[in-house]
Structure formats: structure tokens, C-alpha cells
Amino acid sequence: MAIELVVTPTGLELCLTGIDRAAAGRRGLHVPFERIVGSRTMSRADAVASSPRLPCPGLWCPGRIRTGSWGIGERRQLWAVRGGADVVVVYLSGRPFHRLVVETGDCRRTQRSVEAALLHSKRTAARASLRAVLRGRDGERAPSRR
């Protein structure tokens, strides 16, 4: 299979080869755990129904392949799906993508490993609170955006 989703100690590594690499215009993507909101397994039909219809750049053949970038702006998604019935969907914060949709050999097992690694990273990594982000470097409160 030309699609590989690997859980690393710092995040997820998506490796693309072949036609997936050409359609997406990239070799792969590294996503740190800080950007991952969650993941789930869903049917391919449900994932397509909740996806933008505009490939930029992307390639599709109905029922067979859907690969590359889909949508623009904050709805942009990276797809690497062949003819399988189930897909793993990883929700992200920030840019360039807000969602990764990937087909793997065992989607449910892949999704469980992503969730376990995400939970472990939240337990072990230091997280900045929202209050710390809102405060300036000198300890004063940052100006509000009203």
C-alpha cells in the first residue's frame, strides 16, 4: 500500500508514495501531538459526505481513489484513500490541514494506536494553560480583542 500512517514519539508521520505523492504534491506530513484534536474511524461514504468537493490539488475516481488536498482555507483536508470501506480520520488544529483522512490496512487498530499515543502525550508533556497564553511575558494580562 502506498499510504503509511506511523505513530512516532512526537506525533504522527504520514508517508505517501506513488500516485498519492503525485496527487498531493508532497512526500508526506509530520503532525505534532499538540495539533491533534482527536481521531475516529468512519465509513468512507460518511467521510466523503462531510468533505469539500473541490480538489486542490487532488485526484479522484468515484469508488476507487480519492487522494490529495481537498478544499481551501480552514476546511482544507488531506486525503489518501483507496477503495476500502473504512477510513481513519484525524482532526487537527491550525494550518495547513484541519483533517487527515487515511485508509490503512486495519483502520480500527490504527485509530486506537493514535488515540493511545495522544493520551500518553497529554499525560507526559507539559501543556501551557490558556491563562498563560493570554498573559504577556512580563506577567501582565495581554490586551483583549474587543
Side-chain angles (χ1 to χ4, degrees):
M1 183 171 274
I3 306 157
E4 187 177 355
L5 185 65
V6 179
V7 178
T8 66
T10 59
L12 294 179
E13 194 75 38
L14 176 66
C15 302
L16 302 172
T17 58
I19 196 161
D20 298 300
R21 182 176 174 178
R26 58 177 55 225
R27 293 179 181 175
L29 182 69
H30 175 76
V31 182
F33 284 124
E34 291 81 24
R35 285 198 53 219
I36 300 173
V37 176
S39 68
R40 66 183 282 198
T41 302
M42 64 175 27
S43 70
R44 179 185 175 150
D46 290 341
V48 170
S50 63
S51 165
R53 304 283 183 246
L54 179 67
C56 335
L59 173 70
W60 82 99
C61 180
R64 291 192 176 173
I65 187 170
R66 184 177 172 111
T67 187
S69 298
W70 293 79
I72 56 175
E74 62 187 38
R75 287 191 39 105
R76 191 169 182 204
Q77 302 176 8
L78 182 61
W79 280 69
V81 176
R82 298 297 175 101
D86 291 329
V87 295
V88 176
V89 180
V90 180
Y91 296 95
L92 308 173
S93 63
R95 292 190 181 251
F97 302 105
H98 97 276
R99 188 165 100 154
L100 300 178
V101 184
V102 180
E103 178 189 351
T104 61
D106 186 356
C107 291
R108 297 200 190 283
R109 186 170 133 203
T110 302
Q111 187 267 335
R112 284 193 302 268
S113 67
V114 169
E115 284 296 317
L118 182 60
L119 180 63
H120 179 70
S121 78
K122 287 182 178 180
R123 287 182 181 159
T124 58
R127 302 283 177 171
S129 69
L130 185 57
R131 287 185 182 152
V133 172
L134 292 175
R135 288 191 183 141
R137 292 183 189 180
D138 56 354
E140 294 180 16
R141 187 173 175 90
S144 62
R145 297 182 188 176
R146 289 188 185 185

